[in-house]
Amino acid sequence: MPVEFLGIAATNDGSETTPRSGAAFDKEYTLRLARAHEDHGWDRVLFAYGSGSPDPAPAAAYVASHTDRLRILLAHRPNVSCPTFAAKTFATLDQISEGRLTVHFITGGNDHEQAREGDTLTKDERYARTREYIRIVKKIWTTHEPFDHEGEHYRFHDFVSDVFPVQQPCPAVSFGGSSPAAYAAGGAEADIYCLWGEPLDRTAEQIAAVKAAAKAAGRVDVPRIQVAFRPIIAPTEELAWEKARRTVGVIRERREAGLVRHHRSGAPENTGSQRLVAIAEAGERYDRALWTPTAAATGGAGNSNALVGTPETVAQALLDYYDLGVDILSARGYDLLGDAIDFGRYVIPIVRDEVAKRDAERAARGPRSLAAVGE
């Protein structure tokens, strides 16, 4: 099974450890970072969404028009536009990128962040709205005759789009979450299901939950699984751990000084962050290289568990997840540009080579297995 790598398409150079040096949308840096991913073996980059952040859709269009191969994962919150409008935006972007678009639908795990843009629905109501939204978008992408819709959250009449995606029947849909409601929605609708990096046993449990939800929804296929980490790599193990401790120290200092904007205070509301906090409270190190103090320092904010070690150690840790059934590996360092280049140079080739060996071994075993069955 092929493996893919997802990086971040940040619109400025700021991170948890580094203040941004310019505007929120730094045109030159945005393109420089995207090209670094394209030039160093990454498959796609995520254009994330925040209530006050630059709009990811035009930023993605800008990058798509200046790159050749790099695929785009566009984050979108259903509360910010009607599905009729969004479906046209996505189809247009798929045309601009010549079929390189995947859409990541965000239900929203924090009431305060959602309310910043006027969304006052409860979490369960948001999940119901997201499922309805995704179904409408898919129908618009694939329907060439006008249709009506009378749903719980959306109503419209006689709509048909005049712009359709390059990808047929439509672009892939990405979804994430760690609650039963998330598994149910994503299991039913997603082509890709996204998880934050957790210990191997807990990740296996989540993968099983996603597969069960897909089966319960009547699907014969299952979503592909994506898992996200914050890699901290160095030439030796000792240097990597020194770098890791230095990194978490800077994160804590900046947060204590009020230099990092908080979307919330107190305990996290969303299940995914709650899980990360609980895992960090139970221990700092898991499996081959998983390290939780980076998640603890941010209160489990988003993708925040680290993989620490040499490129070889981190690559082997990623392969452990691949062996669980994860085939999209998401990684984002704290030095966005430098870490994207280093990870692409030193980690991605190791993982790809090992995956190719595994695939070759499976292919070699296949005919023998079939012959044995025939006997």
Side-chain angles (χ1 to χ4, degrees):
M1 147 174 94
V3 64
E4 295 183 9
F5 288 91
L6 169 71
I8 189 70
T11 58
N12 61 72
D13 59 356
S15 75
E16 296 93 330
T17 61
T18 309
R20 76 179 192 224
S21 61
F25 180 60
D26 182 333
K27 182 177 175 182
E28 287 73 24
Y29 183 85
T30 298
L31 184 55
R32 185 181 177 195
L33 181 60
R35 284 178 170 163
H37 282 87
E38 183 168 67
D39 292 343
H40 291 89
W42 298 78
D43 296 286
R44 69 183 79 201
V45 288
L46 167 66
F47 288 82
Y49 189 93
S51 59
S53 301
D55 187 344
Y62 170 66
V63 166
S65 65
H66 289 81
T67 54
D68 300 315
R69 178 190 58 80
L70 194 66
R71 283 177 272 166
I72 292 162
L73 179 59
L74 178 70
H76 180 78
R77 285 183 184 164
N79 63 292
V80 298
S81 67
C82 292
T84 49
F85 177 85
K88 294 185 296 180
T89 300
F90 304 147
T92 303
L93 183 51
D94 200 50
Q95 290 283 344
I96 292 170
S97 66
E98 298 180 322
R100 288 182 277 154
L101 176 70
T102 297
V103 182
H104 180 67
F105 290 92
I106 303 173
T107 298
N110 178 261
D111 291 344
H112 179 232
E113 169 66 3
Q114 295 299 123
R116 282 174 166 158
E117 295 186 291
D119 186 6
T120 58
L121 296 185
T122 66
K123 185 177 179 181
D124 286 346
E125 290 171 335
R126 293 199 296 267
Y127 274 112
R129 178 182 62 190
T130 300
R131 291 184 72 166
E132 183 178 346
Y133 197 99
I134 292 172
R135 288 169 179 169
I136 293 169
V137 168
K138 287 180 178 178
K139 188 169 183 178
I140 291 170
W141 279 341
T142 56
T143 301
H144 292 259
E145 298 295 331
F147 69 96
D148 301 338
H149 179 83
E150 292 281 349
E152 180 181 359
H153 296 280
Y154 301 101
R155 295 175 178 83
F156 55 85
H157 303 282
D158 199 41
F159 181 82
V160 63
S161 178
D162 195 34
V163 56
F164 293 90
V166 171
Q167 298 176 80
Q168 294 297 313
C170 61
V173 165
S174 172
F175 191 88
S178 298
S179 67
Y183 298 144
E189 301 297 337
D191 301 295
I192 299 169
Y193 201 98
C194 306
L195 303 170
W196 290 331
E198 295 187 5
L200 290 164
D201 58 347
R202 292 165 176 82
T203 301
E205 291 169 359
Q206 288 196 286
I207 293 172
V210 172
K211 290 181 176 179
K215 183 178 180 180
R219 293 178 61 170
V220 296
D221 63 337
V222 295
R224 299 173 67 198
I225 302 296
Q226 172 184 304
V227 177
F229 303 96
R230 306 300 294 271
I232 301 175
I233 62 173
T236 68
E237 295 292 330
E238 181 180 9
L239 289 173
W241 285 105
E242 287 179 4
K243 182 178 178 181
R245 289 187 286 271
R246 187 167 61 249
T247 297
V248 82
V250 174
I251 293 172
R252 289 171 179 154
E253 289 172 4
R254 285 176 51 77
R255 288 178 71 86
E256 289 168 2
L259 299 176
V260 178
R261 183 178 181 182
H262 295 261
H263 288 322
R264 55 172 166 75
S265 59
E269 296 174 17
N270 63 304
T271 304
S273 292
Q274 291 169 2
R275 290 173 64 101
L276 295 188
V277 170
I279 290 166
E281 289 174 347
E284 287 194 357
R285 294 180 66 170
Y286 292 84
D287 305 320
R288 194 187 299 267
L290 191 72
W291 195 57
T292 65
T294 46
T298 63
N303 170 25
S304 51
N305 268 339
L307 291 177
V308 181
T310 63
E312 292 78 11
T313 295
V314 171
Q316 291 301 322
L318 292 170
L319 286 161
D320 291 338
Y321 288 90
Y322 175 82
D323 290 337
L324 283 182
V326 176
D327 64 344
I328 302 176
L329 300 168
S330 174
R332 171 165 57 100
Y334 292 95
D335 171 8
L336 299 177
L337 181 60
D339 287 344
I341 293 170
D342 286 346
F343 189 89
R345 281 176 174 167
Y346 304 118
V347 178
I348 289 178
I350 297 173
V351 177
R352 290 201 193 280
D353 287 347
E354 289 299 320
V355 167
K357 290 177 184 177
R358 284 163 165 76
D359 289 345
E361 289 170 359
R362 289 192 192 99
R365 288 196 301 268
R368 288 197 296 271
S369 298
L370 290 174
V373 171
E375 293 172 0

